Amino acid sequence: MDFATLKAAWPWTEIAGCPGRFVLKHPGPALTLADLLGPDVRVSEHRSALARDVVLVARLADGGLISYRRPDGGCLHTLNTREGLARKLAQLAIAPA
């Protein structure tokens, strides 16, 4: 899976003021990272004092996904270019792996 394939497969909207970052429009409440990426993509889980929800990160060769798992189990999914991913992880104080 890569950024371009994922961007073409789902309805993403650019996040205003956040170059290289896109949010998934109207995901179903149970849509998981595995649904978006397939079962073989490694996902890391993080807690950040700067995010109210659990942060899930899946890295791609040319970017990655950052998803925020809500208390009800649903997720807000964001697709990021390499630069957008690095910038957002730094903002959340999550070390790159």
Side-chain angles (χ1 to χ4, degrees), residues 45-68:
E45 185 173 306
H46 307 270
R47 295 233 177 237
S48 170
L50 303 169
R52 66 178 177 201
D53 299 318
V54 173
V55 180
L56 307 171
V57 179
R59 296 181 189 278
L60 307 172
D62 55 351
L65 267 111
I66 299 174
S67 296
Y68 302 90

Side-chain angles (χ1 to χ4, degrees), residues 15 36 49 55 82 96:
I15 300 173
L36 292 170
V55 180
R82 185 177 288 121

Side-chain angles (χ1 to χ4, degrees), residues 1 13 22 32 45 58 62 71 81 87:
M1 184 63 67
T13 300
F22 304 84
T32 67
E45 185 173 306
D62 55 351
T81 62
R87 189 178 62 254

